[in-house]
Amino acid sequence: MKKVLYPGTFDPVTFGHIDIIKRASELFDAVHVIVAINPSKKPLFTVEERVDLLKECLKEFSKVTVDSFDGLVVDFAHKVGATGIIRGLRAVSDFEYEFQMALMNRKLADDITTVFLMPHEKYTYLNSSIVRNLASFHSDVADFVPLNVKQALENKYVNN
Ligand code: ADP
């Protein structure tokens, strides 16, 4: 049973994240999506909201579970018996940070391997912060996020 973690901020989940999750679930037996509790990032959505949005749009994926976590990803991996960490690579600009994280995680836990997946090229320009920005200007984000996320964004920005 090959279980992998897909950690991230998911503020909010986009079609880019979902593309990666779909690819991971075709490769592994179980994909555990974990939302980082990282107050220093001052997220728009609370951890509970981000988990609920992910659960709602991933309910068709039988191999995927969603949780939140605080602390080190490698500790969480040991706790749940995962042997890999999935990360998405969109462009060269992602590489340096992701490479550093992957090597640090390997230094911390050599039994956990980071695997990079590339989304469909139509998602390479997409990230959560662009989506938040567009939504804050009441621009339509239907091409970038599932309907439940679009509605949640509209609710956040309804009065401003
Ligand atoms: P983090 O703060 O951990 O980077 P994100 O939610 O921004 O959290 O991203 C989580 C993971 O998903 C990262 O590996 C990131 O590179 C990847 N990711 C984000 N957006 C996309 C996208 N459009 N296509 C593919 N991967 C993506």
Side-chain angles (χ1 to χ4, degrees):
M1 164 91 169
K2 290 279 173 219
K3 182 191 276 192
V4 288
L5 300 181
Y6 180 35
T9 310
F10 304 106
D11 187 37
V13 56
T14 69
F15 286 142
H17 295 122
I18 294 172
D19 179 290
I20 296 292
I21 293 165
K22 190 159 174 285
R23 288 172 201 281
S25 65
E26 282 158 7
L27 290 170
F28 300 100
D29 303 309
V31 181
H32 207 128
V33 179
I34 50 170
V35 177
I37 301 174
N38 186 355
S40 67
K41 275 207 161 185
K42 291 205 188 322
L44 175 66
F45 291 97
T46 66
V47 175
E48 293 75 23
E49 287 171 330
R50 284 178 275 152
V51 167
D52 287 348
L53 290 171
L54 276 157
K55 279 188 176 161
E56 173 68 19
C57 58
L58 296 171
K59 60 180 183 228
E60 312 289 309
F61 293 71
S62 57
K63 294 179 177 179
V64 177
T65 48
V66 184
D67 250 317
S68 59
F69 81 107
D70 206 359
L72 294 174
V73 177
V74 290
D75 290 342
F76 192 91
H78 286 147
K79 198 172 101 186
V80 299
T83 51
I85 297 171
I86 300 291
R87 295 287 290 175
L89 269 191
R90 286 160 290 188
V92 181
S93 50
D94 281 339
F95 181 77
E96 202 166 324
Y97 172 74
E98 293 294 343
F99 188 61
Q100 195 179 22
M101 287 259 292
L103 291 185
M104 180 51 82
N105 280 329
R106 193 161 73 186
K107 172 97 182 111
L108 293 171
D110 201 17
D111 55 335
I112 312 286
T113 297
T114 301
V115 178
F116 294 105
L117 297 177
M118 285 163 289
H120 190 285
E121 57 271 21
K122 66 184 174 197
Y123 300 130
T124 51
Y125 60 89
L126 183 56
N127 65 49
S128 301
S129 95
I130 288 178
V131 169
R132 289 196 304 274
N133 242 314
L134 288 172
S136 76
F137 294 114
H138 308 286
S139 178
D140 187 5
V141 291
D143 284 348
F144 312 122
V145 296
L147 193 59
N148 64 324
V149 177
K150 175 179 143 77
Q151 282 161 351
L153 281 163
E154 284 168 2
N155 291 341
K156 284 278 177 197
Y157 292 114
V158 73
N159 287 323
N160 45 46

